[in-house]
Amino acid sequence: MKTKLTRQQLALIAVLLIAFALLKAGLIWWYLNHKTPHSAPPVTVSCSNLQAGCSLPDGSLLRLDSAPQAARPFGLTLSHVPAAAPGIAFAMRDMDMGFNSYKLLPQGADFVARITLPVCVSGSRQWQMTLKYPDKSYLIDFSTR
């Protein structure tokens, strides 16, 4: 059984389609005008011993309280921070390990975090730590045990 649409129903469908198209165009315009600008690419910082501490280009000092191990918590301390604490995220170069972002909390003059990294099913132990400030970011490669 075929149902024929009336003129009023067709007009209503046309109005709804036009309203949807205008809403979509408005949302696209808003997104393009309000998205955050791309920040500069991260500066790669070489650090041979994170437990001994690493000086970052902005003068801050990054230090781990123990050798990082997957599935075992370790402490991270950031000292001599010239601005607000950065965001911190951990990732593997060619493996999606989910969201591993942490907030650095103030402790005296330092900022600290307790980090627990997941175990990679491939057995890889090569990690990248990114410290994200609003205007810059630092990338530090390291390995877990």
Side-chain angles (χ1 to χ4, degrees):
M1 172 158 109
K2 263 187 169 175
T3 305
K4 197 170 190 181
L5 296 175
T6 65
R7 288 189 103 166
Q8 287 179 332
Q9 290 171 326
L10 288 173
L12 177 62
I13 291 171
V15 167
L16 289 174
L17 287 173
I18 291 170
F20 177 73
L22 290 172
L23 176 65
K24 188 174 180 179
L27 288 173
I28 291 171
W29 175 86
W30 182 87
Y31 171 77
L32 292 174
N33 288 306
H34 290 89
K35 66 180 181 178
T36 56
H38 294 289
S39 59
V43 173
T44 301
V45 177
S46 178
C47 186
S48 59
N49 186 351
L50 285 167
Q51 285 179 270
C54 290
S55 293
L56 301 176
D58 65 1
S60 57
L61 178 69
L62 175 71
R63 190 176 68 255
L64 301 183
D65 68 358
S66 63
Q69 288 184 309
R72 294 214 176 156
F74 58 92
L76 180 143
T77 303
L78 189 61
S79 306
H80 310 297
V81 180
I88 187 166
F90 296 87
M92 285 191 158
R93 192 177 297 268
D94 295 319
M95 173 84 54
D96 182 4
M97 296 301 289
F99 296 105
N100 293 293
S101 298
Y102 291 85
K103 183 176 181 179
L104 291 166
L105 301 173
Q107 184 176 1
D110 300 334
F111 290 93
V112 298
R114 196 87 184 137
I115 312 295
T116 304
L117 297 175
V119 176
C120 180
V121 296
S122 74
S124 176
R125 293 182 271 166
Q126 304 302 312
W127 284 89
Q128 293 181 315
M129 176 188 333
T130 305
L131 297 170
K132 299 176 186 178
Y133 291 91
D135 59 340
K136 63 185 174 243
S137 58
Y138 300 122
L139 182 69
I140 301 163
D141 289 318
F142 70 98
S143 297
T144 58
R145 291 197 283 162

